[in-house]
Amino acid sequence: MNLELNKKIVADFLSRFATKDIDGAMGMTSEQFTWWIGGKKELFPLAGLKTKAEMTALLQGMMGGMQTGLTITPKAMIAEGDKVAVEAESYGVAGNGGIYNNEYHFLVVVRNGKID
């Protein structure tokens, strides 16, 4: 396991959102890939654990509503074992001209060169 390679894989994955390359991003994930969105489901319907298929559909819908893409800029990355912790900020312009700008903390598992 190469910690720097794991960080590069995660950075490459996140960079694909800037060009709306959801298929490319999801191609970097394993078949058992899941994505957890924090929050209370009764207050935020998107919250909860998503399968690869569910997350692909959600991201395609979200990117379809963006004028360009969603730039996700890692501000800091720490890797240990098969995990990469990422502090990141996003920026994009929605179809209605509104700005989407958010901050995130991602915990990503990388196994055998794929995001799990």
Side-chain angles (χ1 to χ4, degrees):
M1 135 189 24
N2 181 320
L3 300 178
E4 291 306 312
L5 178 59
N6 285 353
K7 290 195 286 189
K8 182 180 179 336
I9 289 168
V10 173
D12 290 348
F13 172 78
L14 295 174
S15 75
R16 293 177 182 264
F17 295 97
T19 58
K20 298 185 180 186
D21 184 13
I22 302 308
D23 290 338
M26 298 312 281
M28 297 178 70
T29 65
S30 69
E31 287 308 309
Q32 63 271 8
F33 168 85
T34 58
W35 188 310
W36 180 76
I37 300 172
K40 296 180 179 180
K41 210 160 186 54
E42 64 273 13
L43 299 175
F44 184 54
L46 293 178
L49 190 65
K50 307 292 181 211
T51 65
K52 183 174 182 170
E54 290 169 329
M55 201 61 205
T56 299
L58 190 138
L59 290 168
Q60 287 172 336
M62 180 179 163
M63 291 302 155
M66 301 299 286
Q67 286 184 17
T68 53
L70 186 65
T71 301
I72 302 176
T73 305
K75 293 182 167 198
M77 299 176 104
I78 299 170
E80 184 176 325
D82 60 1
K83 294 179 178 68
V84 179
V86 185
E87 177 187 352
E89 183 174 0
S90 68
Y91 181 87
V93 180
N96 65 4
I99 301 298
Y100 183 84
N101 181 223
N102 220 337
E103 294 180 338
Y104 306 90
H105 181 272
F106 297 108
L107 180 58
V108 183
V109 176
V110 180
R111 292 191 182 112
N112 301 315
K114 294 277 190 175
I115 294 175
D116 228 4

